[in-house]
Structure formats: C-alpha cells, structure tokens
Amino acid sequence: MVTNGLLGMLHSSLELGLRLERQGFEVTYSSPGPTEPLVRAHGLEFLPLDDDGYRDFIERDRERTLLHRWSHVRQRQAEATDSLRLKEFTRALELQKPDLVLIDCEMHGHLLTALSSGCRTAVLSSFVSMRRLPGIPPPPRMGQPGRGWRGSRLGAWLIWNELRFKKWGLFNLRRIQNAACDSETIYRRMAREMGLDDRRELDTSQWQVPFNYRHLVTLTLHSRAFEFPHEAATTERFIGPLISDQRPDLRLGDTDRQRLDRLLDLHGSAGNGRKLVFAGFGSMKLAEGDFLSRLVDVFKRRPDWTLLGGIGARSREFMDESLPKNVHLFEWLPQLEVLSKGDAALTHGALHTNDECVRYAVPSVNYCARESDMAGTCSRAEFHGLGQTRSASRDSARDIERALEEVLADQAMAARLARMQARYRESADQNLAENCVRDLLQSEPLYPSPRARSTNQ
C-alpha cells in the first residue's frame, strides 16, 4: 500500500491494512518518512518513500533563460522525471514482487511505475465519487441532484463543462509557464516511455487534476450509502468507511492528555444536560481570520455548552486570552475519542471527518473550506440530512449559535444519523474491503510485464 501521508488517506488506509492482516495477508505500507511512527504503531511493516523533488526542479529550472528552456525540452523533461525519485520504488517492486499494489490516486508517478512493472495495481481514493454523471455536480462544486438548477441535468452539465474548461486553461497555462515540464506532460511522457497508452488509460475529462485512470479499479475508502444515488461503474468499488475503533494517539503531549482526560471525565459525570461540541478544522484554514473569535463569542453566551477545539498553532495565541471556562482549545485532538463523547461537531467539510461523525451519530455543521472535494462532501451530508453547510465568511456569532441549536435539537436528523450509522456498521460486517482485495488478487494485471510486451505496443 502506497500513500502520500495526508491524514485522511493515512488513517483509512492503515485501517484497511489492519483488516487485511487479520485475514492473513502480508501488508507492507509505504509512505513518506514522517509517517513511520504511526504506521509502526499499527503493527504494519513500513517502507519509506523518497521525497518528491519535482518542486525543487521547477524552482531551479525557472532560473534558466527562456531560450535555454525551450531549446532543451527533452533534456529538461528527463531531469523532471528523475526529480520524482521513483528509482527506489521501482527497486522495491522488483525485490518484493507484490501480488497486489494499492496506490493513492494522487500519486501518479508511483501508479505509472507499478503499472509498467506488470504488477496487479489498483487505485486508493479518499474522495467522493470522481466520475462525471448526469445531474450530479462535480465534487469541487456545491449542489445536489434534483435540487435547484445546480442539481438539474443541464445545470450539472454546465458546471462540469465550466470545470473542464478551467482545467484545460490551467493545463495550458502551466505548460507555458513551465516550458513543457508541467506535471501532466511529464506523467504522459512517463506513460509512453513505459509502453503504456496514455490516451487510452489517462482520462482528463473528470475533475481530478491532472487526470483519472479509465481502466484501473478504484477502491473508494468510504461508504456508498453516503453517496448520491448513481449507477456504479465497473471499475468503482466502495469499500468503506474504514474507521478504526482504536487509533494510536502519538501527537498529544502528556500535559494535554491529562487535561483532555479531565475534561472528558467531567463532561461524562456532569449529568446536567450540558452539550459537548467538537471543533476540528483539518487544514486549519478556517482557523485564520476572526472566525475563531466569533466561535468563542458563541460559547460566552452559551455556558450550557462546552467547546473542545483542535485548531492548530493558533491554540497558543488563544491560551493567552481570557477564554470562557467552557472553551478549551488544543493544537491537536484525538478526533474519534472526542466525537465518541460529543453532541455536535463543527468541521471544515472533509469526507473522513463526516464519516467519523456518522460513525458516532454526531450531527455536523460544516464550514466548507472548499478544498478538493469538500463541497461535494458537504452537499452529500446535506442531501442525506446528516448536517448543515454554512459559510465561515458570512456567519456571525449568532448564526453559528443558531446552526448549533438547530442540529442539537433536530430529532429527525438524529434518526437519519442513526440509520446511516447502522448502514456503516453493516458495511463493516460484510467485509467489503477484504473481499474486494481477494477479487483483485484473482484478476489479471491490466498491463503485462515489460518483457512480455511486443516491441510496438
């Protein structure tokens, strides 16, 4: 299993690795070096990945003259390919001879390398469904099928084509700026040199940058129950949600651990109807500006609510201020542990956080950070009635308070969360992930090994 080390994908894929090991599979987990302690804490074998040097190459390359860059395109493209530092990964595949390689959908260099080696290869995705479908807006845009103009077939078609036009413009702009050494051009060059048909395999018509894979099986690490209703593609497998019941806690210091234990014990023993609200903002962009100040103002007015917030580095800044006694801010919090005790959650709209809210039947107020597929995630949460989507830039303290009041009091939402929670448990009981991997192990590789290919393929 190969991932880029970002937390959402990391946690879900580690849970997948644990489930596979319990079924008797031998799992090696490969990701950037800083993830090693967490991987080993899960008991999985770890193989570090070399750091990608592509950005460093681009910075060095821009120091060259424009004439030199355009007159030495092939040489520079070879340098750009080398900067991806895939040789050690290639050697690891040759040595380990894996029966199956599962690779993060954003790691195109590693995916192409695994394909060229002749390994059975499948894609791991931590996004909502990536396919273009009639009447369903693309994941980076808000909208729900059958609701409003965005959810009409014409509206969704217009949004998809707007996105495709922007992708096309972005690709050409990057190609010009980087003098034919942009990432899409480099990956396509890699594919052709490896004997792969880039036009047949790589699909730029979808929303992911720079492309998707037309014929690779994609293992989506969340539940189909959370998706909009749609006909699944033959290459699409929903194998989640993959949420660990016990996640190793390696980031909370002793002082913060004791502080958190004290607060959770106090909440559990209070018995006075106080509501515990968790705030976690992932990328921390929502922790910028005055949104946090407005959030603190809410709890000044509501002493019957308690806020536990994991807000990143700004927690140090707020420690110096006079916070109300019911507001407790941390740099980082063990999300599953707090959600298991929580009554509501304020989130940035990430898919894994929404899945974890469902896991504990906690209603969410999503202040969508609009990165990647977060708009699509928030739209799906609203479509199923599991939470609200709000605007961090527009909501006043009173608006935030009102949104929390509504989700805390909404019994119909609580019932929907309980039903979705049951569907999540049912998915886990069916061993979808383990059975899918067994099926993949019985399939033929998409491409044969290089030695088995004809010279003109």
Side-chain angles (χ1 to χ4, degrees), residues 390-426:
R390 308 289 303 181
S391 169
S393 61
R394 290 198 295 266
D395 268 13
S396 65
R398 181 66 189 107
D399 293 326
I400 300 171
E401 181 183 359
R402 190 179 297 113
L404 283 171
E405 286 174 341
E406 289 172 359
V407 298
L408 285 167
D410 193 335
Q411 294 302 309
M413 182 177 289
R416 289 190 293 268
L417 278 162
R419 288 195 294 271
M420 187 66 77
Q421 181 188 51
R423 295 182 71 180
Y424 275 25
R425 287 174 177 162
E426 182 182 350

Side-chain angles (χ1 to χ4, degrees), residues 49-118:
L49 286 182
D50 286 340
D51 292 334
D52 186 334
Y54 175 72
R55 289 185 179 179
D56 293 336
F57 161 78
I58 290 295
E59 289 181 10
R60 293 194 308 273
D61 189 56
R62 285 174 179 167
E63 295 174 0
R64 296 166 171 165
T65 66
L66 192 60
L67 177 62
H68 179 276
R69 294 169 75 194
W70 282 108
S71 60
H72 294 77
V73 169
R74 288 187 178 276
Q75 174 189 328
R76 291 171 47 253
Q77 287 180 342
E79 291 177 27
T81 303
D82 288 342
S83 75
L84 298 174
R85 297 173 184 162
L86 296 167
K87 291 180 180 177
E88 284 300 318
F89 179 65
T90 303
R91 278 194 281 271
L93 292 176
E94 292 171 352
L95 288 171
Q96 296 211 10
K97 295 182 174 58
D99 298 298
L100 176 65
V101 188
L102 304 176
I103 305 185
D104 189 328
C105 66
E106 296 186 283
M107 302 183 69
H108 301 287
H110 295 81
L111 274 162
L112 292 170
T113 300
L115 284 174
S116 73
S117 72

Side-chain angles (χ1 to χ4, degrees), residues 117-174:
S117 72
C119 294
R120 288 187 190 86
T121 304
V123 178
L124 293 175
S125 170
S126 59
F127 301 123
V128 297
S129 179
M130 296 189 287
R131 293 175 53 229
R132 177 172 180 162
L133 296 162
I136 297 181
R141 301 288 189 269
M142 300 295 296
Q144 303 168 41
R147 300 181 185 177
W149 76 270
R150 288 173 175 269
S152 66
R153 292 177 73 92
L154 176 60
W157 181 85
L158 289 171
I159 296 170
W160 270 104
N161 281 284
E162 174 222 9
L163 188 64
R164 286 186 67 183
F165 179 75
K166 286 186 176 180
K167 273 187 67 175
W168 177 83
L170 181 63
F171 161 65
N172 285 288
L173 177 62
R174 286 178 175 172

Side-chain angles (χ1 to χ4, degrees), residues 12-58:
S12 291
S13 55
L14 285 173
E15 173 63 11
L16 173 60
L18 288 177
R19 293 188 188 185
L20 294 176
E21 283 218 326
R22 287 196 290 269
Q23 295 290 320
F25 296 101
E26 183 181 341
V27 179
T28 299
Y29 197 98
S30 190
S31 58
T35 63
E36 181 172 3
L38 186 59
V39 174
R40 293 203 182 277
H42 281 76
L44 298 178
E45 193 67 31
F46 180 74
L47 180 69
L49 286 182
D50 286 340
D51 292 334
D52 186 334
Y54 175 72
R55 289 185 179 179
D56 293 336
F57 161 78
I58 290 295

